[in-house]
Amino acid sequence: MKNQTKVIALWAAPRCVSTAFEKTFSQRSDTEIIHEPFCDVYYFSKWRRSDRFGDCEELENYSEDEAIKKIYSLKKSLVFIKDHAFQVLPYVKQDFFSSLTNTFIIREPSEVLASWYKAETYPSEEEFGFTDLERMWQIIVKELGQKPILVDANRFRRHPETILQRYCENIGVEFEPQMLHWQEGKLQNWNERESQFHAKWHSTLDRSNKIMPPTQKTVKIRPEDREMVARATKIYQKLNEYAL
């Protein structure tokens, strides 16, 4: 890239602790973070694939080109993108991934679904996220031949310093101890529409000052979700063999 910026992408399915992982990079003075740059394309643009969150007229013409332009306009030496694979894959070409250092984070699917249920929200299979995460893995690791760099969410939550050190080594940046602690508060200054959304999904993270260890979660899976979870579990087990 012309401005010598290194762009790291963390691809995830929803509720895989990806925003907490993103927050560790927000503590670095050399890093700018971009939180889900393709979300507005997926949910609000005229090319959207879901109307789950209703309409937003000012985002009707927001395209993947705008999202990509935002990524490459930042000037710090490190740019850290976090997004969900299902929000990205319908809109970008393979050469987009070639310009990034691509990484992944994954979590046991029944725990992911428990988090959706807790918010009294129910995902489509596309939004559950594992199918497109596997497709993205195939593109990046198998077709482009990039090194597999994958974080298991619970391993990260149990051993944040160790996993972050390994992650930084794999992406070619120096680990900084301040990544492990922060002041309570929001990841960034959201607008009114964004604040309502993030208050629902990230209230625990907003009240934290470090990575919290996992808690045991049991969930009764709805009959209509069982096959979806079974398919996602096979993907999780296959990809998790590569976890740091």
Side-chain angles (χ1 to χ4, degrees):
M1 292 176 58
K2 292 180 180 180
N3 62 5
Q4 301 302 309
T5 296
K6 185 181 184 74
V7 183
I8 309 298
L10 181 70
W11 307 123
R15 318 311 300 153
C16 284
V17 197
S18 56
T19 303
F21 198 95
E22 177 185 17
K23 193 154 189 175
T24 69
F25 274 82
S26 74
Q27 305 309 301
R28 298 177 63 103
S29 61
D30 62 353
T31 303
E32 289 191 71
I33 62 168
I34 305 181
H35 182 83
E36 299 185 21
F38 295 91
C39 177
D40 288 340
V41 188
Y42 186 91
Y43 282 109
F44 298 109
S45 78
K46 61 186 175 185
W47 303 280
R48 69 185 180 182
R49 293 171 65 89
S50 171
D51 59 2
R52 174 184 291 275
F53 301 113
D55 300 326
C56 185
E57 186 175 345
E58 63 264 32
L59 292 172
E60 182 180 357
N61 292 309
Y62 185 80
S63 69
E64 66 272 19
D65 291 337
E66 295 295 319
I68 292 171
K69 186 184 300 182
K70 180 179 180 181
I71 292 166
Y72 291 122
S73 69
L74 301 180
K75 304 301 182 183
K76 286 194 176 181
S77 60
L78 194 63
V79 170
F80 188 90
I81 310 165
K82 173 259 174 170
D83 213 327
H84 299 140
F86 76 87
Q87 295 178 165
V88 180
L89 273 186
Y91 305 106
V92 303
K93 297 179 180 178
Q94 184 168 303
D95 59 359
F96 171 69
F97 300 112
S98 300
S99 67
L100 313 174
T101 299
N102 296 281
T103 69
F104 300 82
I105 188 167
I106 201 165
R107 186 183 184 189
E108 205 283 324
S110 65
E111 294 184 9
V112 171
L113 193 61
S115 187
W116 280 92
Y117 286 178
K118 183 179 178 180
E120 298 182 349
T121 307
Y122 307 97
S124 66
E125 184 150 11
E126 184 166 275
E127 290 172 301
F128 198 48
F130 286 84
T131 301
D132 278 332
L133 195 67
E134 182 185 33
R135 289 178 184 150
M136 189 178 281
W137 175 274
Q138 179 72 25
I139 291 169
I140 290 166
V141 176
K142 303 300 182 181
E143 297 177 23
L144 295 177
Q146 291 193 13
K147 178 171 65 173
I149 304 172
L150 182 140
V151 173
D152 175 81
N154 279 349
R155 192 178 301 178
F156 164 61
R157 293 175 73 188
R158 292 187 186 100
H159 310 288
E161 183 170 2
T162 297
I163 299 304
L164 273 174
Q165 286 176 339
R166 292 176 184 170
Y167 183 87
C168 288
E169 181 180 357
N170 274 272
I171 65 173
V173 303
E174 186 174 348
F175 167 74
E176 296 183 357
Q178 70 264 26
M179 297 171 72
L180 295 168
H181 300 279
W182 48 79
Q183 298 293 319
E184 291 186 20
K186 299 175 182 178
L187 177 71
Q188 60 188 50
N189 293 322
W190 312 110
N191 62 36
E192 183 177 353
R193 173 181 57 82
E194 292 169 333
S195 292
Q196 294 175 354
F197 174 84
H198 290 288
K200 177 176 182 177
W201 293 108
H202 299 136
S203 58
T204 300
L205 179 62
D206 290 346
R207 296 192 302 269
S208 73
N209 56 23
K210 63 180 180 179
I211 298 298
M212 305 300 292
T215 56
Q216 291 286 79
K217 293 185 178 180
T218 58
V219 61
K220 184 178 180 180
I221 298 173
R222 302 186 307 165
E224 58 265 46
D225 291 333
R226 288 171 186 164
E227 290 186 6
M228 177 181 76
V229 171
R231 288 188 288 269
T233 299
K234 290 180 180 179
I235 294 169
Y236 167 80
Q237 290 170 343
K238 181 172 72 173
L239 299 189
N240 206 43
E241 293 179 6
Y242 295 87
L244 297 174

